[in-house]
Amino acid sequence: QVQLVESGGGLVQAGGSLRLSCVASGQTFSRLFMGWFRQAAGKEREFVAAINWSGPVTRYANSVNGRFTISKDNAKNTVYLQMNSLKPEDTAVYYCAADSDMLATAQRAYEYWGQGTQVTVSS
């Protein structure tokens, strides 16, 4: 079992930045593939970014590529999502997810999920 706890959400103006954190416990973090997803009100949850267990391989949704950066600190059991140049359409609940098998963009590949953190971007 893996427990995931997100933090760092909040209210920010358009053009601003936020850094989300997700701390994992319960399994060897260094062997986990990690992802970030988001769900806006009234919409389906969607993929945002993913990173492989060792860190150097990443994937991004087209909508955030070039603005968001995912990173992983295995010593701190933490995955980060640095979000820059935020837009109102980035407003959503952001979820951290973990997978022990592969780097994936599909939700069904992820075994473990956090409770989510709200990000609100005002115009």
Side-chain angles (χ1 to χ4, degrees):
Q1 284 287 351
V2 176
Q3 293 76 45
L4 303 171
V5 179
E6 304 99 330
S7 62
L11 175 63
V12 64
Q13 288 188 334
S17 298
L18 280 175
R19 188 176 79 159
L20 304 183
S21 300
C22 173
V23 179
S25 61
Q27 188 168 317
T28 303
F29 182 75
S30 60
R31 292 293 178 176
L32 291 175
F33 299 84
M34 303 297 297
W36 286 97
F37 290 77
R38 67 186 182 186
Q39 187 169 20
K43 295 188 177 181
E44 298 287 323
R45 189 159 56 183
E46 63 177 5
F47 169 75
V48 175
I51 188 167
N52 75 327
W53 65 269
S54 60
V57 180
T58 56
R59 298 285 186 270
Y60 295 96
N62 289 337
S63 58
V64 307
N65 197 22
R67 299 187 299 121
F68 291 11
T69 302
I70 188 171
S71 60
K72 193 171 184 268
D73 187 336
N74 288 334
K76 295 183 178 180
N77 286 3
T78 302
V79 62
Y80 302 99
L81 184 68
Q82 177 67 44
M83 306 185 294
N84 298 328
S85 301
L86 283 161
K87 305 175 181 180
E89 51 264 43
D90 294 317
T91 296
V93 177
Y94 283 72
Y95 297 90
C96 172
D99 170 34
S100 56
D101 292 330
M102 61 183 292
L103 180 64
T105 61
Q107 295 182 54
R108 62 181 180 274
Y110 287 85
E111 304 165 70
Y112 307 103
W113 292 83
Q115 81 290 349
T117 185
Q118 176 70 47
V119 171
T120 302
V121 184
S122 63
S123 57

